[in-house]
Amino acid sequence: MGGLHNGFTTGACAAAAAKAAAGLLAGWTMHEAVTIPLPDGTRESLPLAYARTLPDGAEAAVCKQAGDDPDVTDGALVIARIAWKKSDIAFHAGEGVGIITKPGLALPPGEPAINPGPRRMIEAAVREVTDRGLHITVAVPAGKELAARTFNPRLGIEGGISVLGTTGRVRPFSLEAVRKTMECAYNVAMAANIRYPVLVPGHIGERAARRHFRLQDEQVVEAGNEWGFMIDLTARKPPAALLVLGHPGKLAKLSLGYWDTHSRRSASPVPSVRKLAAQVLDFPIPEATTVEGVFADLNAEQQKSLGDALARAVQIAISHRLNYRMPVSTLLINLAGDLLGSCGDLTPWQ
């Protein structure tokens, strides 16, 4: 069979487990799978790992299957425990589900990290069983360890993972999910009154930013390859000034008009960097396969001259895309995190 296969979100798994547990509590006979409604109006059947009654309620579990998506929660057990309450539905975080500790997310601090989409999905599923009030506790026993491999710690979600999913289905390599996570990180920064955020491509940039500047936890926001999306987001929710910091192998692509810097969707910046180096330094630049290689053939003074010129080109491209809504500074680093060059006023971050 060809093509990529969809899986189910943590939210859909929680909804299926919750419906099964509620069914047990209501006296239903449990089968090997449970069918739930999804937000798009379709229905899907998810296999149960187990369902059992408890002294004060019932619980059921679904093993998360992410299909062909490289999801950190793939294979994790998602458990829902149900107990009666007088009215309404109350959500609780069980083992491995995080608690929100910072403003700026879809739910306020103190709430379990069960997102609004999954809450609606869980409620729709259990309401096919009962109209009574319910305590619903969602647990993911492996969640605390898995959360360390997600954005949760920097978003201020402590103690475990988030229960996510707007559609119920996991689409392989979901760009929407990546962008949503980045937008959440930026929203957390804005809610923390960060006036001078730093956008970086990834971990190398973040480590360098924290090495060279004194920054708050929320101040550094990853853009990955989604520079057009993130720059446009800052235009809609403008800070006082913006610092873009990273390796020129990635950021030089912005000066060439590539706002998605993934290697499959953008050209190599090496030819343009070599050309700029020849113009700035006024001598031929040896062939190189990487931007790092171009810089490696230069002495420290030459590296700074090229680094500053390249940082300026990147700064011009970003400022133009922002329609000059805010001051932009750029800083380029090598793979070791050492400074190569910069453009703009860096004092707000020092």
Side-chain angles (χ1 to χ4, degrees), residues 8-18 64 71 73 77-80 91-100 106-107 111-122 136-141 143 147 150 152 157 160-168:
F8 294 102
T9 63
T10 321
C13 295
K64 166 78 179 284
D71 189 322
T73 57
L77 205 61
V78 181
I79 302 169
F91 289 96
H92 307 277
E95 179 187 3
V97 171
I99 297 290
I100 295 167
L107 295 163
E111 281 289 313
I114 304 168
N115 274 20
R119 290 185 187 216
R120 289 191 292 270
M121 224 181 309
I122 293 167
I136 302 177
T137 302
V138 180
V140 182
T150 71
N152 276 18
I157 298 170
I161 64 162
S162 302
V163 177
L164 303 171
T166 54
T167 65

Side-chain angles (χ1 to χ4, degrees), residues 239-259:
L242 178 68
L243 173 60
V244 172
L245 181 153
H247 189 273
K250 186 76 72 174
L251 297 186
K253 295 183 180 185
L254 306 185
S255 66
L256 300 175
Y258 293 107
W259 297 97

Side-chain angles (χ1 to χ4, degrees), residues 39-60:
D40 64 2
T42 62
R43 299 179 68 80
E44 289 284 358
S45 183
L46 279 70
L48 291 173
Y50 66 81
R52 62 193 177 205
T53 56
L54 301 171
D56 58 348
E59 74 173 18

